[in-house]
Amino acid sequence: MYEFHPYFTNDGSVGLYNPDFDDIYHSADGALTEAYEKFIYPIDFDTLLAKDNIRVLDICYGIGYNTKSFLNFLLEKIKFSKKNSKKLIIENNNIETIHTNNILSNNKRKINSNSTTYNSTIYTDNIFSKISIKALDNDKILSYLSPFIKTGEKNIDNKNLNFEYKQVDKYLSKQKSKNLKKIDKLINYLIFDKIAHNNPDFRCNDELSAILTSKVFKKYFDSNFSALYKKINYKGIHLSLLNAFITFLHNIYYKYVSNWYKNRLKTYKLDNVNFSLEICDARQSIKNDNLTYDVIFLDAFTPSKCPCLWSYEFFQLLHEHLNEDGMILTYTSSAAVRSAMIEAGFYIGKIYNKTSDKFIGTIAVKNKSLIKYELTEDELGLLKTTAGIFYRDENLTGLNEAINAGRNLEIKNSDRMTSSQYFKHCKEIK
Ligand SMILES: C[S@@+](CC[C@H](N)C(=O)[O-])C[C@H]1O[C@@H](n2cnc3c(N)ncnc32)[C@H](O)[C@@H]1O
């Protein structure tokens, strides 16, 4: 049986615990809140949405919060004018909608609205049709569960978990978040649809069925999606019939999706988003990919638990796959990761979180002007200590244990200061 350990995080979204790593997949303070704060708010949407094609790479897709938040963020901000043209106005990286009588035929244009002058850009074309998202994860069942996961749960009940509560209790703050975060169901429909069409073994997967029908997990799933899955879960179709089946599946799928959703999907043209999920080792997939990306989400487990996705060689690979004005976003502030990024040729900066007034992650870019918050002298100094010795994975095929062992040996043989010696030294000279 597949090991699945869900619980509710403080913002009403589902979080996961991994007993093998004794680690949590998401912030217990709010899995979705974390996705927004670390991966979505730092994006420069003004520049991004001005592009003809927008390519996003979601490394370590898991249950898909980063992809979902990205789409949800856009969906929430797009409103319709009488003429049914979409107007998305972006100011200082805060997206808001305003009303104007201008009917815009261009892709984008600077506008004046009412008496206020907005030095902003309006987008009237279909935002979603230019978005391609490629999601990578090596855990098939987890990724296949992504469209079923419920968000915005009001009655956060962490009783009767299928693992010891104390494993996650240590991460949960006592204060429940006031803002329940929710993903529009439409996005889950989109992901369900795309996975069902592009990943043939999705529809007849015994492990997936067992989890979806288990009473223990029922409260974590949207019952509409579990019901929909039951309808399409036909076994025994020969591969040669697959094409016919895909049409068949599509018909069944659309038969059971309510008209309300069908209409909304069509109106927003959300189904124009090109979403694909690849079940793979992210390193191999990116090696074989010849596309470049505008935004890369890097959401691997903590560096010491999954060093293969934080090595110098992996960042060299990402450097080849990032557009000149693109950015890599990640939650970690690890010195080993930051020094590997710099060594691979990136400029790096910090992610600022308004709510907590703290810096919460790292941005890596090729164009230095995209960095809003640079590292301080002290933070840069830390990269020169043993903490800044990065992970090596020469052929991008190493096992996590071997990569860790290699780094530990390098630290042992290094004559660099340790981080605690460095902090002591910094205190003394201040
Ligand atoms: C912290 S979780 C990501 C959470 C995810 N972004 C979400 O929204 O649920 C880390 C993910 O990395 C995946 N993973 C671990 N090693 C990997 C590898 N070598 N290639 C691809 N995915 C990997 C795990 O399966 C897990 O889903």
Side-chain angles (χ1 to χ4, degrees):
M1 174 79 173
Y2 177 79
E3 298 236 341
F4 183 57
H5 298 97
Y7 66 99
F8 286 110
T9 65
N10 282 347
D11 69 358
S13 58
V14 175
L16 300 174
Y17 170 69
N18 186 322
D20 292 340
F21 289 164
D22 185 26
D23 200 4
I24 48 174
Y25 285 65
H26 316 93
S27 162
D29 279 337
L32 255 183
T33 307
E34 178 188 35
Y36 269 92
E37 289 177 347
K38 295 179 178 163
F39 295 92
I40 309 304
Y41 296 147
I43 295 175
D44 176 2
F45 277 98
D46 201 359
T47 310
L48 188 69
L49 296 178
K51 290 177 158 240
D52 293 337
N53 291 302
I54 300 164
R55 270 200 295 269
V56 177
L57 182 64
D58 185 354
I59 306 175
C60 294
Y61 170 80
I63 45 175
Y65 283 142
N66 301 331
T67 286
K68 290 179 190 177
S69 308
F70 179 81
L71 293 174
N72 203 59
F73 182 77
L74 293 176
L75 197 60
E76 272 175 359
K77 304 300 171 194
I78 293 176
K79 299 275 186 287
F80 293 93
S81 76
K82 280 184 197 143
K83 296 273 171 191
N84 210 23
S85 69
K86 294 170 194 64
K87 297 174 182 177
L88 187 67
I89 296 173
I90 298 152
E91 284 195 71
N92 307 326
N93 212 5
N94 295 318
I95 296 192
E96 53 184 64
T97 334
I98 59 165
H99 300 289
T100 170
N101 293 326
N102 287 0
I103 297 179
L104 299 166
S105 52
N106 304 357
N107 230 12
K108 58 177 190 162
R109 172 189 315 175
K110 303 275 182 214
I111 58 138
N112 286 332
S113 168
N114 305 332
S115 55
T116 321
T117 303
Y118 289 85
N119 186 17
S120 317
T121 311
I122 288 189
Y123 295 88
T124 55
D125 59 345
N126 185 270
I127 301 283
F128 291 114
S129 62
K130 52 186 191 179
I131 298 178
S132 297
I133 302 178
K134 186 169 186 178
L136 312 176
D137 203 287
N138 65 1
D139 187 334
K140 177 159 60 181
I141 302 299
L142 188 65
S143 304
Y144 282 5
L145 283 170
S146 65
F148 301 93
I149 302 284
K150 211 190 225 178
T151 51
E153 178 61 42
K154 287 195 193 86
N155 305 314
I156 297 175
D157 168 15
N158 277 329
K159 282 184 218 122
N160 306 324
L161 296 174
N162 64 335
F163 60 102
E164 281 275 338
Y165 183 62
K166 64 175 192 295
Q167 309 288 42
V168 294
D169 188 40
K170 61 188 177 208
Y171 301 107
L172 287 161
S173 62
K174 298 295 158 247
Q175 194 93 26
K176 295 276 173 286
S177 172
K178 284 188 196 104
N179 288 331
L180 287 182
K181 285 272 180 201
K182 218 172 161 56
I183 292 293
D184 194 309
K185 270 192 189 184
L186 211 53
I187 290 163
N188 283 336
Y189 271 118
L190 170 86
I191 292 174
F192 185 103
D193 190 24
K194 302 284 179 187
I195 296 182
H197 284 84
N198 302 329
N199 301 62
D201 57 343
F202 172 76
R203 64 172 179 90
C204 52
N205 193 303
D206 288 339
E207 283 181 299
L208 189 62
S209 293
I211 295 172
L212 290 173
T213 49
S214 149
K215 273 193 185 150
V216 185
F217 300 130
K218 208 172 160 198
K219 64 182 174 187
Y220 303 106
F221 300 130
D222 182 323
S223 55
N224 290 327
F225 287 92
S226 307
L228 190 58
Y229 185 72
K230 253 190 191 166
K231 307 272 188 230
I232 66 157
N233 188 7
Y234 291 97
K235 289 189 184 172
I237 290 202
H238 192 271
L239 269 190
S240 61
L241 292 176
L242 194 65
N243 283 341
F245 174 73
I246 286 174
T247 317
F248 171 62
L249 172 71
H250 207 253
N251 294 341
I252 294 180
Y253 171 73
Y254 274 96
K255 192 171 155 205
Y256 290 100
V257 174
S258 75
N259 279 337
W260 188 68
Y261 276 109
K262 270 186 265 185
N263 290 339
R264 284 190 71 213
L265 267 176
K266 263 197 217 132
T267 330
Y268 284 95
K269 297 208 171 80
L270 189 68
D271 50 349
N272 286 349
V273 170
N274 181 353
F275 171 82
S276 64
L277 168 68
E278 217 178 281
I279 307 302
C280 56
D281 182 320
R283 295 171 293 178
Q284 303 319 314
S285 167
I286 301 170
K287 255 201 230 171
N288 298 328
D289 187 349
N290 45 30
L291 293 173
T292 54
Y293 293 85
D294 302 298
V295 178
I296 299 181
F297 300 135
L298 177 52
D299 200 8
F301 291 122
T302 39
S304 59
K305 309 241 159 110
C306 190
C308 72
L309 299 183
W310 302 106
S311 71
Y312 159 63
E313 290 79 4
F314 189 59
F315 285 114
Q316 276 187 316
L317 187 65
L318 295 187
H319 197 272
E320 289 165 21
H321 287 81
L322 186 73
N323 285 335
E324 290 305 312
D325 55 357
M327 56 172 62
I328 300 178
L329 295 149
T330 181
Y331 66 88
T332 187
S333 307
S334 147
V337 169
R338 287 177 166 176
S339 57
M341 287 169 160
I342 294 174
E343 191 70 16
F346 290 108
Y347 295 103
I348 63 165
K350 298 181 284 184
I351 295 173
Y352 174 66
N353 179 237
K354 250 191 199 167
T355 325
S356 62
D357 190 26
K358 282 188 181 144
F359 290 104
I360 53 171
T362 306
I363 292 186
V365 295
K366 289 181 171 178
N367 174 349
K368 197 172 182 217
S369 69
L370 297 174
I371 298 290
K372 276 195 192 151
Y373 304 100
E374 294 200 26
L375 268 63
T376 61
E377 283 303 312
D378 283 359
E379 286 163 337
L380 286 170
L382 182 67
L383 308 189
K384 305 264 179 264
T385 70
T386 51
I389 291 179
F390 45 75
Y391 299 95
R392 304 295 307 242
D393 180 17
E394 220 169 295
N395 301 315
L396 289 163
T397 51
L399 296 176
N400 286 327
E401 297 73 20
I403 298 172
N404 267 332
R407 178 173 182 263
N408 290 340
L409 189 66
E410 209 178 316
I411 291 175
K412 200 174 151 201
N413 296 331
S414 163
D415 52 12
R416 291 184 181 199
M417 254 187 213
T418 64
S419 53
S420 32
Q421 286 166 338
Y422 174 72
F423 289 132
K424 204 171 153 207
H425 166 76
C426 289
K427 255 191 193 164
E428 279 165 8
I429 58 169
K430 270 178 193 163

